[in-house]
Amino acid sequence: MLNLSCAALRPQAPLTVEARALAAYLGLAVGDALGATVEFLTPKEIQLQIGVHRNLTGGGWLKLRPGVVTDDTTMSLALGDAILACQGQVEPLAAAQAFDRWMRGKPVDIGNTVRRNLVRFRQTGEPHALPSEHDAGNGAAMRLLPVALATLGQDADSVRAAVHAQAHVTHHNALSDAACETLVAMVHDLLAGADKKTVLQRHVQPLVQQYPLFAFRCRRCDNPSGYIVDTLHAVFQAFFDTDGLEDCLVDVVNRGGDADTTGAIAGMLAGAHYGPKAIPRRWLAVLDAKTRTACETQAWLLLPMHR
């Protein structure tokens, strides 16, 4: 006879928006820290050096301590601080100033496009990079979670304006814009409890229809570059083809390449979908304590209902 405990029979309470937002921010951070170890390695190199990379061990080309994050998380936190200082508004000048302060603090890593356009901001005071076909990198997408949290519940035009306000500080490019808009819309639906199929149909399929380059079922994306198309190929394959947060992040970072950023973006999506309990305790125990506290604080304060 089947013996089920009362706890097993009791229906699970649905995840709150706050819980999903918390998991999205912590997912971003642990994905970043996990991927940093194997950034710029190929899958074969990872296999030979580590086997399957699944723990926050630090090291990598940046020689980080275990649990230390890179620019993906620290730029997100800088942007979140700027949004909170502007009472929840995403102001281009405030974002540019926050990123400039972040760069002056000598971060552990910084992308070439970010550096170039922040230097231009210092020289001109203009918080919008010039449109460029060469700026289709993933630097604007990796840091957009604070925008997604702050704009939850807003109309589409307001969300789009906020997405562009932060993205165009360093990345003024149509492919980057489309990717950022899609990711924010995905996070909004995931925070509301939407399933993967709904998110795929409502947001990813329209992106692919508008920009066929983003079609991600053609081939497995290993060793993804910093090109936003490669990044989303790897992230979407890992997110939609796995059944848990840990499996998703282990899958995406073991593809190598720009693994801190694919890990951060996949962690953001998976965290919002699966919730806090899906994040392995062993990862949270190693994650840098100050980073964890900052992510937890912003995840709460950026939501409109808590401002």
Side-chain angles (χ1 to χ4, degrees), residues 210-241:
Q210 184 179 10
Y211 295 101
L213 283 170
F214 285 107
F216 65 97
R217 294 299 190 194
C218 302
R219 60 176 178 81
R220 178 179 170 86
C221 183
D222 281 333
N223 200 27
S225 70
Y227 179 38
I228 188 60
V229 173
D230 282 356
T231 298
L232 289 200
H233 283 175
V235 167
F236 288 163
Q237 288 172 10
F239 178 65
F240 289 111
D241 295 344

Side-chain angles (χ1 to χ4, degrees), residues 24-196:
Y25 228 137
L26 291 176
L28 182 152
V30 296
D32 178 4
L34 184 71
T37 303
V38 293
E39 186 181 16
F40 301 140
L41 297 180
T42 67
K44 280 190 175 181
E45 289 170 335
I46 296 170
Q47 181 63 38
L48 287 172
Q49 295 179 26
I50 301 173
V52 178
H53 177 54
R54 56 175 66 251
N55 292 302
L56 271 62
T57 56
W61 77 278
L62 291 170
K63 298 180 173 57
L64 299 176
R65 298 189 312 277
V68 171
V69 296
T70 73
D71 51 340
D72 303 76
T73 305
T74 55
M75 285 198 86
S76 298
L77 291 169
L79 177 59
D81 284 340
I83 293 172
L84 290 172
C86 294
Q87 289 75 52
Q89 301 301 307
V90 185
E91 299 289 347
L93 181 58
Q97 290 170 335
F99 295 151
D100 183 55
R101 288 192 297 273
W102 166 84
M103 187 167 69
R104 291 181 188 277
K106 298 182 179 180
V108 296
D109 189 22
I110 182 169
N112 291 332
T113 302
V114 170
R115 184 192 302 276
R116 170 166 46 81
N117 283 316
L118 288 181
V119 168
R120 179 181 178 275
F121 166 68
R122 288 180 182 177
Q123 295 170 341
T124 67
E126 174 55 56
H128 300 284
L130 296 174
S132 173
E133 63 182 46
H134 302 294
D135 290 357
N138 56 25
M142 72 185 189
R143 63 186 190 231
L144 56 68
L145 180 58
V147 177
L149 298 181
T151 59
L152 186 64
Q154 293 184 13
D155 63 87
D157 288 341
S158 297
V159 173
R160 187 178 301 107
V163 169
H164 291 182
Q166 81 84 15
H168 290 179
V169 174
T170 57
H171 292 69
H172 195 164
N173 177 275
L175 289 175
S176 171
D177 286 349
C180 290
E181 290 170 28
T182 297
L183 288 169
V184 167
M186 291 174 71
V187 171
H188 284 170
D189 270 10
L190 291 169
L191 291 176
D195 59 27
K196 289 184 183 181

